[in-house]
Amino acid sequence: MAKILVTGGLGYIGSHTVVALMANGHQVCVVDDLSNSSLNVLEGISKITGKKPEFHQFDLRDISATRKYFKAQQSLDGIIHFAASKAVGESVDNPLLYYHNNLGGLVNLLMHTSAKNIIFSSSCTVYGIPDVLPITESAPIKPAMSPYGNTKQIGEEILRDTTQADSNLNVIALRYFNPIGAHESAWIGELPIGVPQNLVPFITQTAAGLRSELQVFGHDYPTADGTCIRDYIHVMDLALAHVIAVERLLNQSNLERFELFNVGTGSGSSVLEVIESFERVNGVSLPYKLASRREGDVVEIYADTTKAFDVLGWKAEQSLDDALKSAWLWERHVRNIF
Ligand code: UD1
């Protein structure tokens, strides 16, 4: 059993990873500033696992709180660092918030912790507009399409440079594609504050009657049905990838001190295919209309997952249908729709 700190552990991917770590016998500590989460998530985690992880509320940009926390936590075996802002549009409107929070928090964490095994939450957004699909980890990093994307690129660079300077530090960056869905119990899930920016929470809130209709952003793209294609991965598959990655570092099985892996399913689905799957598996009809393109959208991206399978022995097990079923179960649970 290892002692793992999960920063941003009450957020969407963080909370599912906390559950997966605990299910695999690890002791988990959570740090979260509750800027985009709530204490109810801690309750959800304890309903699922039967235990409440140790929790500290502070912002990793707060130097004295961070110093104090890590002074008291000398025995951490590893850190999974999620704590960051993640709304692409917001990052365009408020870039300094993103550079300050996503990079300031990371640097502060690295300066104060003595833990030597770190998993970093990166994104397929680092690839920009891909030249070749499916995209492999060796594809070139393109200019970021948003300040959010830039913070993921720079975050990887900060970690790569730091592993070069500190020969005891080991890092794995996981580049996520599009995480969706919820834990099967529906005790935790994705709960964005305000109007959802991402497709699946918008779909579930529309089905729940909170939004009048979904807008499909763009229907004249050069794809089979004219809508954009993404690699949607079940959040519990993604959570398990974190457990495997951190255990790889704990077992010292990593071949390099800075490693990178795509975490996706390896296949793409269009927006209309997601809607069709949601309606079919849940037996609901979704009001939607074809609308104009959203600025900054990549036409098509999906992962080559060969490296994750060959090196980590990980592959996604759950389907798009499974993920959309769990997403709707969670939304109904939150809204008391039975
Ligand atoms: C974006 C980021 C990704 C980030 C993720 C989570 C990029 C290229 N990707 O993913 O790095 O991790 O957000 O914040 O910046 N759509 C609709 N109607 C809606 C909402 C979305 O049609 O109301 C469409 C979009 O146009 C897109 C697809 O659904 O084609 C997925 O969109 P979204 O869920 O927002 O994720 P990404 O933009 O792919």
Side-chain angles (χ1 to χ4, degrees), residues 95-128:
L96 292 180
L97 168 71
Y98 276 68
Y99 290 117
H100 191 210
N101 192 27
N102 295 10
L103 300 180
L106 173 64
V107 170
N108 218 10
L109 173 115
L110 290 171
M111 287 177 76
H112 290 98
T113 184
S114 55
K116 294 299 173 196
N117 298 308
I118 297 180
I119 308 299
F120 178 62
S121 174
S122 190
S123 166
C124 69
T125 196
V126 300
Y127 296 120

Side-chain angles (χ1 to χ4, degrees), residues 5-73:
L5 165 64
V6 182
T7 74
L10 299 189
Y12 173 43
I13 308 171
S15 58
H16 290 80
T17 300
V18 168
V19 166
L21 285 166
M22 291 169 78
N24 281 277
H26 297 296
Q27 184 190 344
V28 178
C29 312
V30 171
V31 165
D32 199 300
D33 67 355
L34 301 183
S35 60
N36 194 23
S37 57
S38 89
L39 286 176
N40 294 337
V41 180
L42 208 52
E43 296 300 324
I45 292 169
S46 65
K47 286 235 166 61
I48 296 168
T49 62
K51 269 187 259 170
K52 213 177 249 186
E54 186 185 309
F55 171 63
H56 291 265
Q57 182 185 347
F58 66 91
D59 186 328
L60 284 162
R61 285 173 294 182
D62 180 336
I63 294 174
S64 70
T66 305
R67 183 183 296 129
K68 198 168 139 203
Y69 178 80
F70 284 112
K71 225 174 176 178
Q73 291 279 6

Side-chain angles (χ1 to χ4, degrees), residues 128-202:
I129 300 170
D131 298 322
V132 180
L133 289 171
I135 198 153
T136 65
E137 289 82 352
S138 55
I141 300 297
K142 300 282 191 66
M145 314 245 318
S146 67
Y148 160 76
N150 210 15
T151 66
K152 293 298 175 189
Q153 293 184 351
I154 300 169
E156 288 188 1
E157 285 170 13
I158 289 172
L159 286 159
R160 190 185 285 110
D161 290 348
T162 313
T163 55
Q164 270 163 24
D166 175 352
S167 59
N168 293 316
L169 182 66
N170 295 278
V171 173
I172 294 178
L174 299 178
R175 292 177 173 166
Y176 318 148
F177 284 68
N178 287 56
I180 60 166
H183 188 267
E184 59 182 1
S185 66
W187 282 114
I188 55 172
E190 186 172 13
L191 195 56
I193 291 174
V195 180
Q197 305 298 310
N198 297 114
L199 179 63
V200 170
F202 205 103

Side-chain angles (χ1 to χ4, degrees), residues 81-93:
H81 179 56
F82 292 103
S85 304
K86 60 154 194 164
V88 176
E90 183 186 50
S91 80
V92 174
D93 296 338

Side-chain angles (χ1 to χ4, degrees), residues 279-301:
E279 293 187 318
R280 178 173 38 78
V281 296
N282 296 313
V284 292
S285 140
L286 190 78
Y288 72 90
K289 75 161 186 228
L290 301 177
S292 52
R293 293 181 176 193
R294 182 174 72 175
E295 211 184 316
D297 268 336
V298 170
V299 179
E300 183 171 11
I301 188 161

